[in-house]
Amino acid sequence: MNWQSITFDWNQARAFLVTAEEGTLSAAARALGLTQPTLSRQVAALEQALGVTLFERVAKSLVLTEAGLELVEHVRTMGDAASRVSLSASGQSQQIEGLVTISATDLMAAHVLPDILAELRQKAPGVEIRLLCTNSLSDLRRREADIAVRHVQPDHPDLYARKIREAPARIFGARSFVEGHGRKLTRADAPTLDFIGFDNNEELVVYLRAFGLDVSEANIRLSSPNGVVAWELVRQGFGLSIMADEIAARFPGIVPAFEDVDPITFPIWLVTHRELHTSRRIRTVFDHLAEGLLRVRPERRAR
Amino acid sequence: MNWQSITFDWNQARAFLVTAEEGTLSAAARALGLTQPTLSRQVAALEQALGVTLFERVAKSLVLTEAGLELVEHVRTMGDAASRVSLSASGQSQQIEGLVTISATDLMAAHVLPDILAELRQKAPGVEIRLLCTNSLSDLRRREADIAVRHVQPDHPDLYARKIREAPARIFGARSFVEGHGRKLTRADAPTLDFIGFDNNEELVVYLRAFGLDVSEANIRLSSPNGVVAWELVRQGFGLSIMADEIAARFPGIVPAFEDVDPITFPIWLVTHRELHTSRRIRTVFDHLAEGLLRVRPERRAR
DNA sequence: GCCAATTCATGCGTATATGTATATCACTCA
DNA sequence: TGAGTGATATACATATACGCATGAATTGGC
């Protein structure tokens, strides 16, 4: 191998890659946790080292030259390989200290995970946990999270998934809302009731119909993509919402809405990279989450 | 894209790659033009950053751990991409200043190229030339040279080749040697004469037989893989050798050996990377070499 | 069996690169 | 038109990383 040809500064190549992808030096600096002057100098130094003008300094932002356009392809290959280096290294790492990022819905993050993670803090004090609230499945494969708590079965072969259990869910509302009608609510009342929406109202209607409720999107007059906010609206009596029993049980003012509606169940999956599952740190957190999520059960038996 | 996962130091990755490939930190340092302590620290820092032990410090040299063995695969991909970055950048570079490495046989380098390159120095003062003497064809693809002067047609699709011309060659010897027999030499004398060998005597015998000479390896009692040295032996009257007319013509004491042996011809090819041919600097040198090599002709018409 | 030659790791002075602060410019919105 | 936002490039102080020198340890050769 001829090493002479790779003696240019690889960190400058990284600076170039991120700048090209992000579009501006400032954005690249933010993404890399460096400062804009540093990126500016690194890109300029790479241009000088390679003898190629990579960016056309036009007006506000930078635009790739033809040469830069061709070079960024190869640098992107470097970046992809670097990503695999990082992934594989995380998987190989046998040290327990360090950061683990967990992706979960905001409701899980706010109401279910804290207790479980508090125990983990005792068991593994060196582990630092970051809770990422997102409903996207791709954050694992984009390596924005190490472990994800999901409610659908992932099918990508790179992912390792374990089904924890099925969890019951039903429709809940504030006691004031549910009992404010002077009589027990039944599914026949559904068309006239307000429901709180989350992210996707269409999808929510489908779920509600699965309960046997005759509702449409017209029944959703208040919604928030933030689940914790939406749940707060429920608590304050603005409407009804589907909720996992075990979460609803944590709120004394919350009661099941309908007399005659059976709970449905949804799965809880724990997912990680196949490669990351060999890491001692990831494994520790994964196993603790699995055990903790299995143990969480509604504290009261409804009905 | 998630840039968080590639924020480890890429230069440390490069240090790891070269160290893994070269086997020792010292060799890697020499290859990269850095010092051994620097490589030592970079590798150690990468191990800490990734949380993985890459090398087992056993006795004298380093041995890759299992984790390191897996990681080096990905880092090698980075290196390959880096190599393409460098190659493409050289090709894209439109600046004329800089280094161009020319690979040629030592005889070409010593006796034909200097005059041509002296002219180039006038035409393009900013170009720095490094003459690499090697008979291997692969130095272009391994990117050890930018331009090669070759005598066989390259067939690799990545290479751009231009045939300059056919050049005549015949068998020469020192005047003292050739005329010392008291009569003109003919091909019938060949079996009793000494020939100076180069690199591969078997191959040389094949060439000599192509001249119609009945010789074997027994006729080669003195040889040197260094063509300039071998030629010096010819000049000092130790034996005969095949030589390009245009080179032999530069030496007054050298005469064609045989009355009745016709010259053969061999091709002169100029070769470069297909990508490098778009570089202004490479192009300048390539075109100048092509013109210069076409112009060089024997100063005397033999026979 | 010992000396020479390499190897890797560490301390120290210096050179390099980074961050902070600032200047300049372009675009947006009032 | 004029203030505000967000972009890049430069000046300066500082923190980081590098090279040199050295030491410890092992291998290979005579």
Side-chain angles (χ1 to χ4, degrees), chain B residues 195-231:
Chain B
F195 290 83
I196 305 298
F198 291 96
D199 222 8
N200 183 336
N201 290 344
E202 268 185 68
E203 196 179 312
L204 177 59
V205 167
V206 171
Y207 280 117
L208 291 172
R209 287 176 176 277
F211 279 96
L213 302 178
D214 177 26
V215 295
S216 70
E217 289 191 48
N219 293 81
I220 304 169
R221 304 195 301 180
L222 208 50
S223 70
S224 167
N226 182 319
V228 175
V229 168
W231 183 240

Side-chain angles (χ1 to χ4, degrees), chain A residues 139-301:
Chain A
D139 47 6
L140 272 182
R141 287 176 49 212
R142 281 160 60 197
R143 199 150 155 54
E144 285 162 6
D146 300 309
I147 300 175
V149 183
R150 287 286 114 97
H151 305 299
V152 293
Q153 177 171 13
D155 64 344
H156 198 277
D158 286 353
L159 300 181
Y160 170 88
R162 188 190 299 174
K163 184 176 177 177
I164 305 302
R165 61 181 163 92
E166 290 282 333
R170 68 189 82 187
I171 296 165
F172 290 94
R175 186 181 304 275
S176 61
F177 185 97
V178 173
E179 297 177 353
H181 293 75
R183 57 181 169 78
K184 306 269 186 180
L185 293 176
T186 69
R187 73 175 64 168
D189 296 310
T192 66
L193 295 173
D194 276 343
F195 291 83
I196 304 298
F198 292 96
D199 221 8
N200 185 335
N201 290 344
E202 270 185 69
E203 197 178 311
L204 176 59
V205 168
V206 171
Y207 281 116
L208 290 172
R209 287 177 176 277
F211 280 96
L213 303 177
D214 178 26
V215 295
S216 69
E217 289 189 48
N219 293 81
I220 303 168
R221 303 195 302 178
L222 208 48
S223 70
S224 168
N226 183 317
V228 174
V229 169
W231 183 239
E232 192 58 29
L233 297 174
V234 173
R235 286 183 63 199
Q236 295 183 19
F238 288 99
L240 306 176
S241 178
I242 305 174
M243 184 51 58
D245 282 10
E246 58 215 61
I247 295 180
R250 303 174 66 95
F251 298 88
I254 292 290
V255 295
F258 299 105
E259 276 275 297
D260 54 350
V261 172
D262 290 326
I264 59 169
T265 68
F266 65 95
I268 299 179
W269 288 85
L270 214 48
V271 194
T272 185
H273 273 97
R274 197 162 289 283
E275 298 210 44
L276 291 185
H277 200 236
T278 54
S279 154
R280 187 162 157 226
R281 177 168 71 251
I282 303 292
R283 188 72 174 255
T284 300
V285 176
F286 190 97
D287 291 346
H288 180 78
L289 281 177
E291 190 267 334
L293 287 170
L294 188 59
R295 188 151 34 82
V296 175
R297 283 292 155 84
E299 281 150 22
R300 58 174 179 191
R301 301 267 2 130

Side-chain angles (χ1 to χ4, degrees), chain B residues 39-50:
Chain B
L39 271 286
S40 176
R41 281 184 288 246
Q42 287 192 348
V43 171
L46 185 67
E47 285 183 318
Q48 185 155 16
L50 297 180

Side-chain angles (χ1 to χ4, degrees), chain B residues 10 155 251 294:
Chain B
W10 285 19
D155 65 344
F251 298 88
L294 187 60

